[in-house]
Amino acid sequence: MKSPAVGLNTYKVHLDERRRPTLPPALLAEAGIAPGAHEMIAWVDSRGRLVLEDPLALLSSLQDEVADGKARMSVGGELVDHLLAERASDRSLP
């Protein structure tokens, strides 16, 4: 089983009869999720394990991975410029 990614604190989350969770304010604060209406992305990570993620955090993660990949491949500038240059030089494309 994976260990917590950020904190080592654990929190009890209660589900009501309609299976709606009540997330403790301290848990949300630790995750940096501001109070108020907030849409989250949810998925099953493994049996018995749910993950909730802020869509902006998910986007930021993806952007970091792309930036790391660009750095590893020594790619500068915008990826779209590289794609367009590759396509322009590909004589097999109409």
Side-chain angles (χ1 to χ4, degrees):
M1 180 162 84
K2 296 178 188 174
S3 62
V6 177
L8 298 176
N9 298 323
T10 60
Y11 302 89
K12 287 190 177 190
V13 175
H14 298 280
L15 301 177
D16 67 13
E17 60 279 348
R18 293 179 64 193
R19 296 180 295 173
R20 293 178 297 195
T22 301
L23 302 176
L27 171 65
L28 297 173
E30 186 175 337
I33 298 170
H38 200 84
E39 187 170 279
M40 304 289 287
I41 304 297
W43 69 90
V44 175
D45 186 48
S46 60
R47 185 174 175 87
R49 184 179 176 97
L50 302 173
V51 176
L52 294 175
E53 189 163 14
D54 183 322
L56 295 177
L58 193 58
L59 175 61
S60 178
S61 250
L62 175 62
Q63 290 170 331
D64 290 346
E65 286 185 40
V66 169
D68 290 346
K70 284 175 63 176
R72 280 193 310 277
M73 297 174 65
S74 300
V75 174
E78 295 295 320
L79 290 178
V80 69
D81 296 332
H82 290 278
L83 174 64
L84 293 174
E86 272 187 17
R87 295 192 96 195
S89 67
D90 187 346
R91 300 294 173 221
S92 68
L93 295 172

